[in-house]
Amino acid sequence: MSFWLATILMVVACFLPVIPTMTNTATTHGREFLSGYSYSYEFHLSSAMMDLSLEGYELKVEGISGVRRSETLQAYIDGDPYIPSTEEDLVPIASYVNDGGQYDGQYDLLVYYSERKTDSSLNDLIYQIEMTEYVSGTTDVWEASRDEFKSKYRPSFIVFNTNYVYTEVMNPSSTDTEELTYDTVDDTGASVSVTTSIFSYAQMFSGDWYHHTIGEELIGDYLNVTIDYSDAFYLLDGDYSNVTIGEEDEDGNRYVYVTAPTNEEEKDALLRNSAYQLGFAENWYTSFDNNFKTSKNASLTYTTLLYFAIYLVIGVFLGLIIYLLTRGKNNYYRYLKFMTCQKITAWTAVTPSLIAMILGFFMPNYAIVFYIALFGLRIMWMCMMQLRGS
């Protein structure tokens, strides 16, 4: 076998088991942090965005056209740039307060905007927001000296920063920890009930603006939703200026075009319409997907190169194993040179890698284990059964 053919076979063998991991990473989306129980995060966000719109706020993606990674986020109030200080950005620009639900009277979501430039300063802001606790059933900040015997909670929050977005979805029933009781056995084998504490936040997410479109408006654009005429409940009950009814098309479909509300009455109608809420949520799911792309692409590149390098090193190592196992004095194959053993390894690597790739699609997290195990077994079997001494 020629050196080039052996090289091609080894490259192919190292690449095949990486494919399931690449596919798994490439199909991961930013919206997945809300795929579990989100505690109505999307609904709370829609209400907060409508409030910001009514107050004249806009969050706009800006940058230099054609310049890679120049995209940043800028806030505006009635068309004027909003640049908060490091004290002002500790105050939320919008919030959603639970009204009549299980957690009546307490924050469900807080929205912040900051222009802090350094990671350390932004992390400090996020830490202060995370550590701020509120008295349960109220919007009052919990203070140990005053509220020591009162229950407390931490609301979900989202921070819009010039370069990043960061959000945490919190369990509204608890603060940083909640008690969890479970049954186990002690050292003597007796059954005991143990109480421990677990962290309360459900999910967290962070990303950047590099994959957003310059000129994109996170409030105005994302509040624009098109819904089917048959789903426009509550939106046709009044003379709403933000609701436009389209003409029936040639297929018999008719749509209603909804924009940002201009008053509280229009806002209430939008909050009551489930089709609008689904459309609004989809707009933000797309945004979170775009926020996540930089991290996803970096992870895809890193894992691909890392696993490929690991497989290549393993291939060279197993070639060395063949070389050492054929060095016996009476071994018929002791004439094999080191490079010849590497060629043998390349030839035998293809089948294990193909099987590992197929198995990896069913269990992508174990793809690397499948390849190492199958390749190792293949080499050991060959050494014991075909390359052993005569």
Side-chain angles (χ1 to χ4, degrees):
M1 183 192 302
S2 69
F3 170 79
W4 293 111
L5 178 58
T7 301
I8 292 173
L9 289 176
M10 180 56 75
V11 170
V12 171
C14 291
F15 180 72
L16 289 179
V18 180
I19 294 177
T21 304
M22 291 175 56
T23 304
N24 185 53
T25 303
T27 54
T28 302
H29 300 289
R31 67 180 68 190
E32 292 179 9
F33 83 98
L34 291 172
S35 60
Y37 192 64
S38 63
Y39 303 103
S40 300
Y41 176 92
E42 299 92 335
F43 178 81
H44 303 152
L45 183 62
S46 71
S47 177
M49 290 297 106
M50 291 181 201
D51 287 340
L52 287 173
S53 177
L54 291 173
E55 294 172 11
Y57 278 86
E58 187 54 80
L59 299 173
K60 187 175 182 180
V61 178
E62 299 182 339
I64 303 174
S65 180
V67 178
R68 186 170 176 266
R69 294 196 170 191
S70 66
E71 294 82 3
T72 59
L73 189 70
Q74 176 63 55
Y76 291 89
I77 302 179
D78 296 327
D80 298 322
Y82 171 56
I83 305 175
S85 67
T86 54
E87 292 182 354
E88 292 173 332
D89 63 9
L90 286 168
V91 179
I93 59 174
S95 63
Y96 180 86
V97 179
N98 194 296
D99 183 16
Q102 180 181 358
Y103 307 105
D104 182 41
Q106 66 184 44
Y107 289 125
D108 280 324
L109 178 69
L110 296 175
V111 180
Y112 296 84
Y113 177 77
S114 171
E115 292 210 348
R116 302 193 186 201
K117 305 299 183 182
T118 64
D119 290 347
S120 60
S121 180
L122 180 59
N123 289 338
D124 180 63
L125 168 66
I126 292 172
Y127 178 78
Q128 292 186 64
I129 295 172
E130 285 178 325
M131 293 298 105
T132 302
E133 299 169 323
Y134 299 85
V135 178
S136 296
T138 74
T139 57
D140 299 329
V141 175
W142 187 91
E143 296 180 8
S145 60
R146 182 191 64 195
D147 307 311
E148 180 179 1
F149 301 104
K150 295 181 181 179
S151 60
K152 52 188 177 179
Y153 72 98
R154 288 181 182 171
S156 300
F157 67 88
I158 182 169
V159 178
F160 293 104
N161 176 256
T162 306
N163 299 311
Y164 303 101
V165 59
Y166 181 89
T167 185
E168 286 185 11
V169 182
M170 306 294 259
N171 182 345
S173 65
S174 59
T175 59
D176 58 327
T177 60
E178 60 181 319
E179 291 187 341
L180 175 68
T181 303
Y182 61 96
D183 296 327
T184 184
V185 294
D186 60 15
D187 296 337
T188 64
S191 297
V192 294
S193 182
V194 177
T195 299
T196 185
S197 297
I198 59 175
F199 197 56
S200 67
Y201 78 81
Q203 294 290 345
M204 60 79 63
F205 172 82
S206 63
D208 55 44
W209 306 108
Y210 296 148
H211 294 275
H212 282 255
T213 303
I214 294 176
E216 187 175 346
E217 297 180 348
L218 272 60
I219 297 178
D221 291 345
Y222 291 4
L223 287 173
N224 295 340
V225 176
T226 300
I227 61 177
D228 192 89
Y229 182 83
S230 61
D231 295 327
F233 303 108
Y234 308 112
L235 302 182
L236 308 179
D237 297 342
D239 186 18
Y240 299 136
S241 61
N242 66 321
V243 177
T244 303
I245 303 174
E247 298 293 334
E248 187 174 297
D249 61 22
E250 58 184 12
D251 296 324
N253 298 317
R254 195 177 186 186
Y255 299 99
V256 175
Y257 305 96
V258 185
T259 59
T262 58
N263 54 55
E264 289 293 333
E265 185 180 3
E266 293 175 354
K267 172 191 170 183
D268 291 340
L270 296 183
L271 291 176
R272 296 166 64 191
N273 184 271
S274 58
Y276 177 84
Q277 290 299 316
L278 289 174
F280 172 86
E282 183 59 35
N283 288 341
W284 274 96
Y285 291 156
T286 302
S287 177
F288 289 136
D289 289 344
N290 291 333
N291 293 136
F292 184 65
K293 282 183 179 179
T294 300
S295 296
K296 181 171 72 173
N297 293 340
S299 177
L300 183 62
T301 302
Y302 175 78
T303 54
T304 300
L305 294 177
L306 177 63
Y307 285 1
F308 184 87
I310 291 174
Y311 297 152
L312 187 61
V313 170
I314 289 173
V316 174
F317 175 74
L318 291 177
L320 176 61
I321 294 295
I322 294 177
Y323 178 76
L324 294 176
L325 291 178
T326 55
R327 294 307 93 192
K329 182 177 180 181
N330 297 321
N331 193 300
Y332 179 78
Y333 297 99
R334 68 191 310 269
Y335 66 87
L336 294 176
K337 297 181 179 180
F338 178 76
M339 288 307 300
T340 304
C341 293
Q342 294 300 329
K343 293 178 181 180
I344 294 173
T345 303
W347 179 259
T348 58
V350 178
T351 300
S353 69
L354 182 60
I355 297 174
M357 180 188 71
I358 296 172
L359 294 175
F361 278 116
F362 295 98
M363 292 181 286
N365 292 333
Y366 295 95
I368 185 171
V369 178
F370 291 143
Y371 179 62
I372 294 174
L374 291 171
F375 196 11
L377 289 173
R378 176 71 177 92
I379 294 298
M380 290 300 103
W381 179 86
M382 183 179 67
C383 291
M384 296 299 104
M385 302 301 295
Q386 296 178 296
L387 298 178
R388 63 182 180 178
S390 58

